[in-house]
Amino acid sequence: LFLLCLSLPLLFSESPFNQQFWGVFGRNTGYLTYLSLLFLMILSCAISQITLYHRILRTFILSSIPMSVYCIIQILKLDPIGWSEFNTFGTLGNINFLSAYLGLVSVAAYSLLLDSRERQLRIICLMLLLIDIPIVLSTGSIQGFMIFLAGSGIATLYFLLHSPKLKILFWPTTFLGVVGIVISFIVTGK
């Protein structure tokens, strides 16, 4: 259904084919990107081994470390490349992409911080969280912070639900999460 909904505008829209296929210049989120993401989703569903998921999470987190270091260099105004943009954007081209990316990385780091039994990995995840959340806030883009709040909330609920000792905290935490969501809608709706 998603593929059909994606293909119909490509075939029947009057927009230029190149723009629809590749995406708008600078974003490149066209038909090919979403088709690739669809195949990655189907592939990840087909290969459902928990060890693979842990490897993917670790790789995702470790590959974000150079981006975090580069963002710190940009925040300190020590960037050797003379970009026309003065905000922190990493190598992703704009602050919104960086914010969303680091939000996703922070959710992955938080999840491993809760679940991992490896001390070194937990220390890396904690350090990454302490570095990436301030970077997300420095971008001024709300996407990454909202992704982190939603993802870490879901990870916390999952952890509480599957922890025999802490299972009793599941419903009070769920209630607090719902109250927080309602308050955020009220505050942002004004």
Side-chain angles (χ1 to χ4, degrees), residues 114 156-173:
L114 288 177
T156 300
L157 290 176
Y158 183 83
F159 177 74
L160 290 176
L161 188 63
H162 291 87
S163 175
K165 293 178 183 176
L166 301 174
K167 199 172 195 171
I168 194 166
L169 297 174
F170 176 78
W171 287 112
T173 307

mmCIF file of all heavy atoms in Angstrom, residues 114 156-173:
data_model
loop_
_atom_site.group_PDB
_atom_site.id
_atom_site.type_symbol
_atom_site.label_atom_id
_atom_site.label_comp_id
_atom_site.label_asym_id
_atom_site.label_seq_id
_atom_site.Cartn_x
_atom_site.Cartn_y
_atom_site.Cartn_z
ATOM 1 N N LEU A 114 20.068 1.365 29.364
ATOM 2 C CA LEU A 114 19.138 0.630 30.227
ATOM 3 C C LEU A 114 19.356 -0.872 30.165
ATOM 4 O O LEU A 114 19.226 -1.564 31.173
ATOM 5 C CB LEU A 114 17.689 0.918 29.812
ATOM 6 C CG LEU A 114 17.109 2.280 30.121
ATOM 7 C CD1 LEU A 114 15.698 2.372 29.570
ATOM 8 C CD2 LEU A 114 17.129 2.563 31.604
ATOM 9 N N THR A 156 11.829 3.341 28.224
ATOM 10 C CA THR A 156 11.651 3.223 29.675
ATOM 11 C C THR A 156 10.465 2.326 29.999
ATOM 12 O O THR A 156 10.559 1.444 30.865
ATOM 13 C CB THR A 156 11.448 4.614 30.312
ATOM 14 O OG1 THR A 156 12.605 5.414 30.045
ATOM 15 C CG2 THR A 156 11.228 4.508 31.811
ATOM 16 N N LEU A 157 9.349 2.539 29.298
ATOM 17 C CA LEU A 157 8.165 1.702 29.538
ATOM 18 C C LEU A 157 8.451 0.241 29.210
ATOM 19 O O LEU A 157 8.044 -0.661 29.948
ATOM 20 C CB LEU A 157 6.980 2.217 28.734
ATOM 21 C CG LEU A 157 6.401 3.561 29.207
ATOM 22 C CD1 LEU A 157 5.297 4.021 28.264
ATOM 23 C CD2 LEU A 157 5.905 3.470 30.630
ATOM 24 N N TYR A 158 9.147 0.002 28.115
ATOM 25 C CA TYR A 158 9.500 -1.372 27.737
ATOM 26 C C TYR A 158 10.391 -2.007 28.804
ATOM 27 O O TYR A 158 10.193 -3.157 29.197
ATOM 28 C CB TYR A 158 10.196 -1.375 26.376
ATOM 29 C CG TYR A 158 10.522 -2.751 25.877
ATOM 30 C CD1 TYR A 158 9.570 -3.517 25.213
ATOM 31 C CD2 TYR A 158 11.783 -3.306 26.077
ATOM 32 C CE1 TYR A 158 9.862 -4.794 24.767
ATOM 33 C CE2 TYR A 158 12.087 -4.579 25.635
ATOM 34 C CZ TYR A 158 11.122 -5.321 24.980
ATOM 35 O OH TYR A 158 11.408 -6.585 24.539
ATOM 36 N N PHE A 159 11.366 -1.240 29.264
ATOM 37 C CA PHE A 159 12.282 -1.742 30.294
ATOM 38 C C PHE A 159 11.526 -2.066 31.576
ATOM 39 O O PHE A 159 11.738 -3.116 32.192
ATOM 40 C CB PHE A 159 13.384 -0.709 30.554
ATOM 41 C CG PHE A 159 14.331 -1.088 31.638
ATOM 42 C CD1 PHE A 159 15.285 -2.073 31.433
ATOM 43 C CD2 PHE A 159 14.273 -0.473 32.876
ATOM 44 C CE1 PHE A 159 16.173 -2.432 32.441
ATOM 45 C CE2 PHE A 159 15.144 -0.822 33.890
ATOM 46 C CZ PHE A 159 16.095 -1.807 33.670
ATOM 47 N N LEU A 160 10.627 -1.166 31.988
ATOM 48 C CA LEU A 160 9.861 -1.391 33.211
ATOM 49 C C LEU A 160 8.925 -2.594 33.084
ATOM 50 O O LEU A 160 8.760 -3.368 34.025
ATOM 51 C CB LEU A 160 9.047 -0.144 33.572
ATOM 52 C CG LEU A 160 9.836 1.068 34.042
ATOM 53 C CD1 LEU A 160 8.908 2.250 34.256
ATOM 54 C CD2 LEU A 160 10.633 0.762 35.297
ATOM 55 N N LEU A 161 8.318 -2.736 31.925
ATOM 56 C CA LEU A 161 7.381 -3.832 31.700
ATOM 57 C C LEU A 161 8.068 -5.194 31.753
ATOM 58 O O LEU A 161 7.488 -6.172 32.197
ATOM 59 C CB LEU A 161 6.678 -3.654 30.350
ATOM 60 C CG LEU A 161 5.532 -4.607 30.037
ATOM 61 C CD1 LEU A 161 4.404 -4.418 31.046
ATOM 62 C CD2 LEU A 161 5.012 -4.376 28.634
ATOM 63 N N HIS A 162 9.332 -5.240 31.314
ATOM 64 C CA HIS A 162 10.055 -6.511 31.256
ATOM 65 C C HIS A 162 11.032 -6.714 32.416
ATOM 66 O O HIS A 162 11.826 -7.650 32.396
ATOM 67 C CB HIS A 162 10.776 -6.635 29.914
ATOM 68 C CG HIS A 162 9.821 -6.807 28.780
ATOM 69 N ND1 HIS A 162 9.261 -5.739 28.135
ATOM 70 C CD2 HIS A 162 9.291 -7.920 28.214
ATOM 71 C CE1 HIS A 162 8.443 -6.186 27.196
ATOM 72 N NE2 HIS A 162 8.438 -7.496 27.230
ATOM 73 N N SER A 163 10.985 -5.842 33.386
ATOM 74 C CA SER A 163 11.838 -5.979 34.561
ATOM 75 C C SER A 163 10.978 -6.461 35.732
ATOM 76 O O SER A 163 10.098 -5.732 36.194
ATOM 77 C CB SER A 163 12.480 -4.633 34.904
ATOM 78 O OG SER A 163 13.202 -4.734 36.096
ATOM 79 N N PRO A 164 11.224 -7.681 36.222
ATOM 80 C CA PRO A 164 10.379 -8.219 37.300
ATOM 81 C C PRO A 164 10.353 -7.338 38.560
ATOM 82 O O PRO A 164 9.315 -7.179 39.175
ATOM 83 C CB PRO A 164 11.007 -9.577 37.613
ATOM 84 C CG PRO A 164 11.834 -9.926 36.432
ATOM 85 C CD PRO A 164 12.248 -8.636 35.805
ATOM 86 N N LYS A 165 11.485 -6.751 38.902
ATOM 87 C CA LYS A 165 11.563 -5.941 40.124
ATOM 88 C C LYS A 165 10.902 -4.570 39.957
ATOM 89 O O LYS A 165 10.411 -3.997 40.911
ATOM 90 C CB LYS A 165 13.012 -5.756 40.544
ATOM 91 C CG LYS A 165 13.690 -7.034 40.984
ATOM 92 C CD LYS A 165 15.125 -6.781 41.348
ATOM 93 C CE LYS A 165 15.806 -8.088 41.716
ATOM 94 N NZ LYS A 165 17.228 -7.905 41.984
ATOM 95 N N LEU A 166 10.922 -4.029 38.732
ATOM 96 C CA LEU A 166 10.419 -2.677 38.508
ATOM 97 C C LEU A 166 9.071 -2.632 37.786
ATOM 98 O O LEU A 166 8.584 -1.561 37.462
ATOM 99 C CB LEU A 166 11.457 -1.882 37.700
ATOM 100 C CG LEU A 166 12.835 -1.753 38.344
ATOM 101 C CD1 LEU A 166 13.812 -1.085 37.398
ATOM 102 C CD2 LEU A 166 12.741 -0.981 39.649
ATOM 103 N N LYS A 167 8.476 -3.783 37.566
ATOM 104 C CA LYS A 167 7.219 -3.857 36.818
ATOM 105 C C LYS A 167 6.110 -3.040 37.478
ATOM 106 O O LYS A 167 5.245 -2.490 36.805
ATOM 107 C CB LYS A 167 6.791 -5.318 36.680
ATOM 108 C CG LYS A 167 5.811 -5.566 35.586
ATOM 109 C CD LYS A 167 5.609 -7.063 35.408
ATOM 110 C CE LYS A 167 4.920 -7.319 34.106
ATOM 111 N NZ LYS A 167 4.870 -8.720 33.752
ATOM 112 N N ILE A 168 6.175 -2.891 38.777
ATOM 113 C CA ILE A 168 5.155 -2.151 39.516
ATOM 114 C C ILE A 168 5.142 -0.658 39.128
ATOM 115 O O ILE A 168 4.145 0.033 39.294
ATOM 116 C CB ILE A 168 5.339 -2.332 41.037
ATOM 117 C CG1 ILE A 168 4.106 -1.858 41.786
ATOM 118 C CG2 ILE A 168 6.590 -1.630 41.507
ATOM 119 C CD1 ILE A 168 4.059 -2.309 43.221
ATOM 120 N N LEU A 169 6.267 -0.168 38.602
ATOM 121 C CA LEU A 169 6.367 1.242 38.212
ATOM 122 C C LEU A 169 5.830 1.517 36.807
ATOM 123 O O LEU A 169 5.784 2.672 36.377
ATOM 124 C CB LEU A 169 7.825 1.702 38.288
ATOM 125 C CG LEU A 169 8.460 1.663 39.673
ATOM 126 C CD1 LEU A 169 9.939 1.996 39.582
ATOM 127 C CD2 LEU A 169 7.739 2.607 40.606
ATOM 128 N N PHE A 170 5.417 0.472 36.083
ATOM 129 C CA PHE A 170 4.977 0.637 34.695
ATOM 130 C C PHE A 170 3.778 1.576 34.584
ATOM 131 O O PHE A 170 3.810 2.536 33.813
ATOM 132 C CB PHE A 170 4.651 -0.721 34.065
ATOM 133 C CG PHE A 170 4.114 -0.608 32.670
ATOM 134 C CD1 PHE A 170 4.974 -0.369 31.611
ATOM 135 C CD2 PHE A 170 2.757 -0.721 32.414
ATOM 136 C CE1 PHE A 170 4.490 -0.252 30.317
ATOM 137 C CE2 PHE A 170 2.255 -0.610 31.134
ATOM 138 C CZ PHE A 170 3.127 -0.380 30.075
ATOM 139 N N TRP A 171 2.701 1.320 35.328
ATOM 140 C CA TRP A 171 1.493 2.135 35.180
ATOM 141 C C TRP A 171 1.661 3.556 35.697
ATOM 142 O O TRP A 171 1.200 4.512 35.044
ATOM 143 C CB TRP A 171 0.288 1.435 35.815
ATOM 144 C CG TRP A 171 -0.140 0.271 34.969
ATOM 145 C CD1 TRP A 171 -0.047 -1.052 35.288
ATOM 146 C CD2 TRP A 171 -0.676 0.324 33.636
ATOM 147 N NE1 TRP A 171 -0.489 -1.826 34.241
ATOM 148 C CE2 TRP A 171 -0.887 -1.006 33.213
ATOM 149 C CE3 TRP A 171 -0.984 1.349 32.767
ATOM 150 C CZ2 TRP A 171 -1.401 -1.328 31.970
ATOM 151 C CZ3 TRP A 171 -1.502 1.039 31.522
ATOM 152 C CH2 TRP A 171 -1.700 -0.285 31.132
ATOM 153 N N PRO A 172 2.310 3.784 36.842
ATOM 154 C CA PRO A 172 2.538 5.185 37.246
ATOM 155 C C PRO A 172 3.386 5.957 36.229
ATOM 156 O O PRO A 172 3.120 7.129 35.943
ATOM 157 C CB PRO A 172 3.270 5.060 38.584
ATOM 158 C CG PRO A 172 2.930 3.715 39.094
ATOM 159 C CD PRO A 172 2.719 2.852 37.900
ATOM 160 N N THR A 173 4.381 5.289 35.658
ATOM 161 C CA THR A 173 5.216 5.937 34.646
ATOM 162 C C THR A 173 4.417 6.215 33.382
ATOM 163 O O THR A 173 4.560 7.279 32.772
ATOM 164 C CB THR A 173 6.448 5.060 34.326
ATOM 165 O OG1 THR A 173 7.118 4.754 35.539
ATOM 166 C CG2 THR A 173 7.391 5.762 33.376
#
